[in-house]
Amino acid sequence: MQDTHNYIEKNKQRFIDELIELLKIPSISADSAYKEDVLKTAEAVRDSLQKAGCDTVEICETPGYPIVFGEKIIDSNLPTVLVYGHYDVQPPDPLDLWNSPPFEPVIQKTELHPEGAIFARGACDDKGQMYMHVKALEYMTQTNQLPCNVKFMIEGEEEVGSESLEGFVTKNQEKLANDVILISDTGMIANDIPSITTGLRGLSYVEVEVTGPNRDLHSGLYGGAVANPINVLAKMIASLHDENNHITIPGFYDKVEELSSEERAKMAEAPFNKEAYKKALDIDDVYGEKGYTTNERNSIRPTLDVNGIWGGYTGEGAKTVIASKAYAKISMRLVPHQDWKEITLLFKSHFERIAPEGVRVEVQPHHGGQGYVTPIDTVAYQAASKAYEKTFGKTPIPQRSGGSIPIVSLFEKELKSKTILMGFGLDSDAIHSPNEHFGVWNYLKGIETIPQFYHYFATMQE
Ligand code: BES
Ligand code: MN
Ligand code: MN
């Protein structure tokens, strides 16, 4: 592998400009008002793959947003890498907390990104990280160094649960056949502490509705005499954790994988600065399940969090009212062996059971997915590790992440292949938050590291 550095130096301004163009399209999959933009983004991704050297690229229609599929097969005897990514983004709101408009990318220096970071929705999650693969392919084809076959599958519904992708993967096993799946949609510890993500948590997402009286009531005339759905909901939610912050749903922990003390000791070797963590979030202490460290709480332990709660009067001033209904959206992050459908049912029956007299409770399951763990004793992991050694000058630390990419476990089930999660973002890049950004250094480092992975993966095969 030669000249990656030179190629990037020569082309980096164009690489940045092209990404900025892609970031300008508001491909918000959750909001149907942006349908045309989501479709336009699929076309832009198709065009970019064509230009980067794919032999064939197609926009595959689905019941939802299309999947862009491209490939370059140089020799059917060589291994095949399947790159997965997503071109859809999260809604940008609350808009007033952005320092610059979410779809008008700007480059700004930050403490952790002294060489500048691109600020825009999707900069890191996942347009920026997905586009690194497009540019890495361009480099390998332009310099005649693509060492194996490559396929791309870039979807537009990841942020809303990858519903159409499931059918697409199940129906297209041959088309998607590969030796390893490569994804950049996670993060690493720090720019000087490279890490490879070896685990993702599963997810169960539900919405609950508590109904009391058949209409909103005067809180003086009726207050104290009927169940207030908001009071009740708050109490029910509070009861889902005990004083040690363990989740109280019966059976919730039954299948949780308990790590050995050796594995936990190994995890604890990963650098973690608690003071810096607290300072970055402006909190005076961390919080969580008793008996576990912060890094364990956010990766190997399951959690339950309210993501939104509403009901009653929230406008200006005061209105004396007992609402008829209260609502909450709740996510549970799961760990290996917990089955998301089973957990959803456990939640549902528990939540219905703890409802007091005087209210009705409904639990509506949303999407979910299984967790995933990548083995590190494989050629693919070793190839990734060597790639980082080459470009970062350090062996990357294997680290489990707390986030979820539910489709990864489906890939394993349907396509029978392992996934390598080479993420180049930082936790502080504010994905899903206002002022999301992606370091220019990280973007270029990704473009530099990916071809090394191809090189080692192709040459290390027996
Ligand atoms: N890229 C993220 C997941 C992620 C980020 C994993 C950082 C590890 C580190 C992905 O786009 C995402 O946001 N996933 C959702 C789940 C999905 C079903 C909406 C999540 O984790 O909340
Ligand atoms: Mn993502
Ligand atoms: Mn996301």
Side-chain angles (χ1 to χ4, degrees):
M1 199 66 18
Q2 297 154 15
D3 275 352
T4 332
H5 222 84
N6 278 347
Y7 190 87
I8 292 172
E9 271 308 307
K10 257 192 236 138
N11 293 284
K12 67 180 182 191
Q13 194 54 50
R14 178 174 56 84
F15 289 173
I16 294 166
D17 294 343
E18 287 176 14
L19 174 57
I20 284 177
E21 285 311 304
L22 195 63
L23 290 167
K24 284 182 185 169
I25 323 175
S27 50
I28 308 166
S29 50
D31 187 342
S32 57
Y34 292 89
K35 184 169 178 199
E36 290 308 313
D37 291 303
V38 182
L39 298 174
K40 218 171 103 186
T41 309
E43 285 167 14
V45 171
R46 175 199 57 197
D47 296 349
S48 73
L49 281 171
Q50 234 141 23
K51 279 205 201 106
C54 278
D55 295 330
T56 57
V57 193
E58 45 182 328
I59 290 193
C60 306
E61 298 303 331
T62 75
Y65 285 123
I67 292 158
V68 184
F69 180 82
E71 64 181 8
K72 186 169 180 70
I73 306 296
I74 54 171
D75 179 347
S76 59
N77 294 315
L78 287 172
T80 301
V81 175
L82 172 65
V83 175
Y84 162 82
H86 61 97
Y87 64 81
D88 65 322
V89 302
Q90 285 276 326
D93 48 279
L95 281 174
D96 53 329
L97 293 182
W98 284 78
N99 297 327
S100 56
F103 298 105
E104 293 171 30
V106 293
I107 297 181
Q108 217 102 60
K109 293 189 166 117
T110 73
E111 207 182 313
L112 293 177
H113 296 297
E115 292 172 44
I118 306 174
F119 282 77
R121 171 57 86 231
C124 179
D125 184 12
D126 179 40
K127 284 174 176 166
Q129 296 215 65
M130 175 271 289
Y131 207 67
M132 297 180 314
H133 289 269
V134 181
K135 292 299 99 179
L137 174 67
E138 175 197 301
Y139 162 70
M140 290 184 285
T141 55
Q142 286 291 316
T143 57
N144 282 317
Q145 295 187 78
L146 181 66
C148 58
N149 305 310
V150 56
K151 297 177 178 177
F152 276 76
M153 174 169 66
I154 313 296
E155 71 152 321
E157 296 183 338
E158 197 278 338
E159 298 292 8
V160 289
S162 300
E163 233 172 275
S164 305
L165 189 64
E166 239 185 279
F168 183 79
V169 170
T170 316
K171 276 190 224 116
N172 290 286
Q173 290 174 339
E174 209 159 301
K175 184 187 187 100
L176 300 173
N178 65 80
D179 296 280
V180 69
I181 296 169
L182 185 58
I183 304 180
S184 295
D185 194 21
T186 56
M188 57 181 190
I189 298 175
N191 286 2
D192 57 350
I193 313 171
S195 59
I196 296 178
T197 303
T198 51
L200 295 163
R201 284 196 285 194
L203 178 71
S204 163
Y205 201 107
V206 299
E207 186 164 331
V208 301
E209 180 185 302
V210 176
T211 307
N214 59 2
R215 60 183 166 90
D216 288 6
L217 303 173
H218 188 288
S219 65
L221 293 181
Y222 289 92
V226 297
N228 176 332
I230 301 177
N231 292 6
V232 167
L233 177 59
K235 225 176 179 172
M236 288 171 72
I237 287 171
S239 79
L240 296 174
H241 290 94
D242 68 13
E243 65 282 8
N244 293 321
N245 280 314
H246 292 302
I247 294 157
T248 56
I249 300 170
F252 187 85
Y253 291 101
D254 282 2
K255 294 190 178 161
V256 167
E257 170 199 47
E258 296 290 344
L259 267 65
S260 65
S261 39
E262 289 79 40
E263 285 172 300
R264 289 179 68 184
K266 188 98 194 98
M267 266 190 84
E269 284 171 19
F272 176 71
N273 183 335
K274 200 180 197 172
E275 289 314 309
Y277 188 85
K278 292 196 292 195
K279 186 161 169 263
L281 300 176
D282 211 357
I283 49 177
D284 56 18
D285 208 353
V286 294
Y287 183 90
E289 188 181 1
K290 194 172 171 190
Y292 294 92
T293 64
T294 299
N295 269 342
E296 290 173 337
R297 287 169 180 168
N298 68 21
S299 65
I300 59 162
R301 297 299 295 166
T303 58
L304 183 154
D305 277 291
V306 178
N307 293 241
I309 182 163
W310 70 104
Y313 184 69
T314 56
E316 200 183 325
K319 179 188 178 193
T320 48
V321 66
I322 291 174
S324 162
K325 284 176 185 289
Y327 307 84
K329 289 183 193 280
I330 296 173
S331 68
M332 288 162 276
R333 295 283 168 171
L334 310 175
V335 296
H337 310 319
Q338 281 184 298
D339 179 75
W340 78 272
K341 290 187 175 155
E342 203 177 308
I343 292 292
T344 305
L345 288 177
L346 285 180
F347 176 92
K348 186 174 159 64
S349 58
H350 177 69
F351 210 68
E352 285 166 355
R353 198 172 49 239
I354 62 173
E357 303 274 293
V359 297
R360 286 187 311 266
V361 167
E362 250 178 73
V363 177
Q364 192 67 49
H366 277 266
H367 53 267
Q370 302 297 104
Y372 181 74
V373 177
T374 311
I376 63 172
D377 58 350
T378 58
V379 168
Y381 184 88
Q382 292 309 320
S385 187
K386 275 190 178 309
Y388 282 72
E389 277 170 22
K390 182 97 183 180
T391 59
F392 285 79
K394 284 180 185 169
T395 304
I397 299 171
Q399 197 186 45
R400 293 213 209 168
S401 170
S404 307
I405 310 176
I407 205 71
V408 172
S409 66
L410 189 94
F411 290 159
E412 171 148 60
K413 186 164 153 250
E414 297 292 333
L415 305 176
K416 311 277 180 277
S417 40
K418 302 284 183 205
T419 291
I420 296 293
L421 298 154
M422 289 179 42
F424 294 91
L426 302 182
D427 283 356
S428 52
D429 286 346
I431 63 170
H432 294 207
S433 300
N435 304 310
E436 174 178 353
H437 54 280
F438 188 34
V440 170
W441 185 89
N442 301 67
Y443 177 54
L444 300 176
K445 205 62 169 176
I447 299 172
E448 187 187 347
T449 308
I450 291 162
Q452 296 297 336
F453 170 77
Y454 280 74
H455 165 72
Y456 288 117
F457 185 66
T459 53
M460 285 164 73
Q461 306 279 332
E462 295 88 348

